[in-house]
Amino acid sequence: MALKPLHDRVLVRRVEGDEKTAGGLIIPENAKEKPAEGEVIACGDGARKDSGELIEMSVKEGDRILFGKWSGTEVTLDGEELLIMKESDILGIMA
């Protein structure tokens, strides 16, 4: 894949949601919610202050993150659905 996000944007692959509920019921494909969890595939260099100084990114490739339900823009690259979002749309990094 040859996409490098610019500035403070990240490229994210969603993590697949659960197929069953805690009680063991199977969730049909059309009833599943898109997960708000993903893996960072690529990062930009970071935002810039008014002075031109670079603000480093808090996330890096390989981080597992949580993001808002309506965050990012969906894109399809090489037949795979991915998200591009600003770093500020990321709610946290999962440890």
Side-chain angles (χ1 to χ4, degrees):
M1 177 171 332
L3 178 69
K4 169 112 171 109
L6 297 176
H7 309 295
D8 64 338
R9 289 182 174 78
V10 295
L11 184 64
V12 177
R13 176 184 297 127
R14 285 188 196 265
V15 176
E16 292 299 318
D18 292 333
E19 305 255 335
K20 292 184 181 182
T21 64
L25 297 174
I26 296 174
I27 302 170
E29 193 67 34
N30 59 354
K32 287 183 189 176
E33 283 192 26
K34 290 186 177 181
E37 184 178 325
E39 179 185 355
V40 176
I41 304 301
C43 294
D45 294 328
R48 295 224 177 246
K49 295 181 181 179
D50 290 337
S51 64
E53 184 182 345
L54 184 67
I55 302 170
E56 293 288 326
M57 298 284 282
S58 299
V59 297
K60 62 186 180 311
E61 291 179 24
D63 281 349
R64 195 166 178 129
I65 60 167
L66 292 175
F67 49 87
K69 189 173 186 174
W70 305 109
S71 298
T73 301
E74 293 183 354
V75 295
T76 302
L77 293 173
D78 299 332
E80 183 178 16
E81 287 187 21
L82 302 170
L83 289 168
I84 294 179
M85 65 181 68
K86 286 189 160 249
E87 185 182 28
S88 60
D89 289 338
I90 297 173
L91 303 176
I93 302 170
M94 299 178 69

